[in-house]
Amino acid sequence: MGVTKSEIFTDYQNKLALAARVLGHPARIAILQHLFKTDSCVCGDLVGVIGLAQPTISQHLKELKNLGIIKGNIDGTRVCYCIDTQKWEELKELFAGFLNQTASDKSCC
């Protein structure tokens, strides 16, 4: 398998691809949906809600946190997570810039 040459792509293309990769797992989508639905910090109840093992949930949370769309606060022995609203708005703008493109109506195939 070849190495991705990310330096030949624009910063925008790399950011969009990274965000798409992180959001490309249904468990991460389920985690985000739960955080939005709860509308507060979530501390430790994700295993029961999502139905995956704690180490798996932790790995998905790490990916979301590395992207910056969730933030975690230490509460005793637990870490509580919530949506980083500023980063979420930036992500929405990033995808909107790509998804709002319009293809021409002329037939290509």
Side-chain angles (χ1 to χ4, degrees), residues 24-73:
H25 196 289
R28 295 180 195 144
I29 298 300
I31 290 168
L32 289 170
Q33 287 176 321
H34 180 69
L35 292 175
F36 277 113
K37 184 175 77 173
T38 305
D39 198 29
S40 66
C41 285
V42 173
C43 304
D45 66 341
L46 287 171
V47 171
V49 172
I50 306 300
L52 297 172
Q54 181 59 54
T56 305
I57 295 287
S58 294
Q59 184 61 37
H60 289 303
L61 289 168
K62 179 182 172 186
E63 291 289 330
L64 293 167
K65 191 171 181 186
N66 286 344
L67 186 60
I69 56 177
I70 65 169
K71 51 188 173 182
N73 299 312

Side-chain angles (χ1 to χ4, degrees), residues 56-91:
T56 305
I57 295 287
S58 294
Q59 184 61 37
H60 289 303
L61 289 168
K62 179 182 172 186
E63 291 289 330
L64 293 167
K65 191 171 181 186
N66 286 344
L67 186 60
I69 56 177
I70 65 169
K71 51 188 173 182
N73 299 312
I74 298 173
D75 181 24
T77 59
R78 304 181 303 175
V79 179
C80 300
Y81 292 96
C82 62
I83 301 291
D84 184 325
T85 54
Q86 179 182 350
K87 292 291 185 180
W88 183 256
E89 291 302 317
E90 291 172 14
L91 186 67

